[in-house]
Amino acid sequence: ADDVVSRSQPLSAEAASVYYSLADADTAASSGFLAGAAKEPAQVRERYEKDIARASRLLIKAATSTDDSSDSGRQITVLNEQLPVYTGRIETARAYNRQGLPLGGAYLRFANEQMTTVLLPAAQKLYDAERARLDRDDEEARFWPVLSLALGLLALGALGWAQRRTYLRTNRVFNHGLLAATAATAVVLLWLAGGHTLARSALHEAREDGQKSLTVLNDARISSLKARANENLVLVARGAVLTDDGKSDKYETEFGAGMRDLGEELSAALLHADDAEGRTAVESAQASVTEWRTRHKKVSETDRAGEYEGALKRVIGPGKSTGKSFDEVNAALEQALAHEQREFSRAAADGRDALDGLPAGAAALGLLGAAGAILGVNRRLAEYR
């Protein structure tokens, strides 16, 4: 239970943050490229640098708590090796863009391809591995202590048999020592069963009402980032990259798929939300996604009409752009994630705390019961000396 609260779940959340940071960095890089080297907003550049720094810091932290030979360790190695290659390509794209050379767009697409085919899959595998470890720890924390309960019942049975045997042989109704031992054993057994019942209930609540919501919300945030990156690349590539069948714009197609995934994941998140605060945040994200789709449709119409500058303004402009809608979706998802994280931490901590004192208490009562049994038997033996 302590592993769930203090190790597995935090590592799972950090793995999700690695993925988010990398995807957000790619989105910021494409947004800055679209604005142009001279017009790139300082906050966009700062966002990219913060994302890269956060991903690097989290990877270092993850490496210190992960075995290099494990699946997580292997993915961390891939990410540490490939991240500098990605950032180098982004800087090359910026350099060509400052010179007004179209080669900058090719380098940006090349960097995006590396992000989507190498870095993000490795980050996804890292997240999946840490989530699997969380599931294993949660399963072990909720496992009934069958052997301990069986031994407790066996001890009670043995004490009952001893007291009945003493009664039949001595005609004494009560043996105070054996009675104290029976009471101590019963208290331990009830404490063990009650503590684990409460712990299992709280950990189940953490899993159902917290972790499942966190999982689907993380997936939704990832889908929104992918959709935003593809939306930017539609204008960067200008139709130069097609799907495998050669019939459609690759990035426009992937944008549509990402938005469909985002809509489905938000619907699932709304089903998992179990209170008003959680539902409000998800509903806010859904409203922003609807507005995002409407604004993107206008972007596509403007771009098809040959008004590239107009389309660009609708994507990264300061007014009612798709970028504003994306920011609103992202802000609502962050609010929902923070709420569900608090819910998970509270419930999981309650589950762990339900077992507080049980080891020490069981040891003390076990010693008390043993002492009572010895004294009770000795008292009967003394009567025949």
Side-chain angles (χ1 to χ4, degrees):
D2 187 61
D3 281 344
V4 170
V5 175
S6 60
R7 184 176 67 92
S8 304
Q9 203 282 327
L11 285 174
S12 175
E14 288 172 0
S17 293
V18 169
Y19 193 112
Y20 167 77
S21 298
L22 293 174
D24 193 58
D26 195 52
T27 300
S30 59
S31 296
F33 188 92
L34 278 177
K39 298 179 181 179
E40 180 179 10
Q43 62 267 27
V44 173
R45 176 68 177 180
E46 183 180 351
R47 180 174 179 172
Y48 166 82
E49 292 174 347
K50 283 184 175 180
D51 284 332
I52 295 297
R54 181 168 58 246
S56 300
R57 184 174 63 253
L58 289 173
L59 286 172
I60 292 172
K61 184 178 179 181
T64 61
S65 58
T66 305
D67 183 5
D68 291 342
S69 62
S70 66
D71 188 36
S72 293
R74 289 190 292 271
Q75 302 311 321
I76 290 171
T77 299
V78 171
L79 290 166
N80 281 327
E81 289 175 350
Q82 295 298 317
L83 186 55
V85 178
Y86 169 80
T87 55
R89 287 172 179 167
I90 290 294
E91 294 309 316
T92 301
R94 281 201 172 101
Y96 280 119
N97 196 32
R98 282 194 295 269
Q99 299 173 51
L101 299 175
L103 195 58
Y107 267 95
L108 182 68
R109 294 195 300 273
F110 193 24
N112 173 262
E113 183 180 357
Q114 184 196 10
M115 176 64 77
T116 56
T117 60
V118 179
L119 288 167
L120 291 183
Q124 182 68 53
K125 290 177 182 177
L126 174 62
Y127 175 52
D128 290 343
E130 293 302 331
R131 191 163 60 183
R133 178 157 64 171
L134 170 61
D135 289 340
R136 287 194 301 271
D137 286 345
D138 179 70
E139 194 68 28
E140 290 177 6
R142 291 188 292 119
F143 184 76
W144 275 106
V146 178
L147 180 60
S148 296
L149 292 170
L151 289 172
L153 292 172
L154 181 62
L156 278 179
L159 287 166
W161 171 83
Q163 289 177 85
R164 176 171 173 75
R165 182 174 180 274
T166 300
Y167 167 70
L168 293 175
R169 293 199 172 195
T170 67
N171 227 15
R172 295 180 181 275
V173 178
F174 294 115
N175 181 302
H176 294 154
L178 292 177
L179 192 62
T182 303
T185 304
V187 170
V188 172
L189 194 60
L190 290 172
W191 192 351
L192 182 67
H196 275 270
T197 299
L198 292 174
R200 283 168 56 86
S201 176
L203 289 168
H204 179 77
E205 180 186 349
R207 183 185 181 91
E208 295 299 317
D209 298 338
Q211 185 57 34
K212 286 187 175 181
S213 292
L214 286 171
T215 298
V216 73
L217 287 169
N218 277 319
D219 290 343
R221 188 163 67 162
I222 288 167
S223 294
S224 72
L225 286 165
K226 287 181 177 178
R228 179 58 179 169
N230 284 314
E231 184 177 46
N232 289 338
L233 288 167
V234 168
L235 297 183
V236 172
R238 301 189 186 186
V241 183
L242 302 178
T243 53
D244 292 338
D245 59 12
K247 296 180 180 179
S248 307
D249 185 295
K250 175 179 182 292
Y251 299 118
E252 184 67 41
T253 301
E254 291 183 355
F255 169 81
M259 292 299 281
R260 283 193 297 274
D261 290 343
L262 176 57
E264 292 171 0
E265 287 151 359
L266 287 176
S267 296
L270 192 60
L271 291 175
H272 285 298
D274 63 332
D275 58 19
E277 185 177 351
R279 286 191 294 271
T280 299
V282 175
E283 288 169 351
S284 176
Q286 287 180 317
S288 297
V289 167
T290 300
E291 185 64 30
W292 187 357
R293 286 196 177 100
T294 301
R295 292 176 180 178
H296 180 79
K297 185 177 180 180
K298 293 180 180 178
V299 170
S300 299
E301 292 171 352
T302 305
D303 190 33
R304 284 195 296 269
E307 300 177 20
Y308 176 79
E309 292 298 329
L312 183 63
K313 185 177 180 180
R314 289 183 180 276
V315 171
I316 61 172
K320 295 181 179 180
S321 64
T322 57
K324 292 293 183 183
S325 296
F326 164 73
D327 289 339
E328 290 168 0
V329 171
N330 195 44
L333 287 174
E334 285 186 354
Q335 181 181 349
L337 280 163
H339 170 70
E340 297 299 340
Q341 181 63 56
R342 289 192 299 271
E343 290 293 295
F344 174 89
S345 298
R346 176 193 57 76
D350 286 346
R352 178 191 59 188
D353 295 345
L355 302 171
D356 276 353
L358 178 57
L365 287 167
L367 290 173
L368 178 63
I374 292 171
L375 291 173
V377 172
N378 282 343
R379 180 67 181 272
R380 297 285 78 80
L381 291 174
E383 292 177 352
Y384 295 94
R385 289 175 182 168

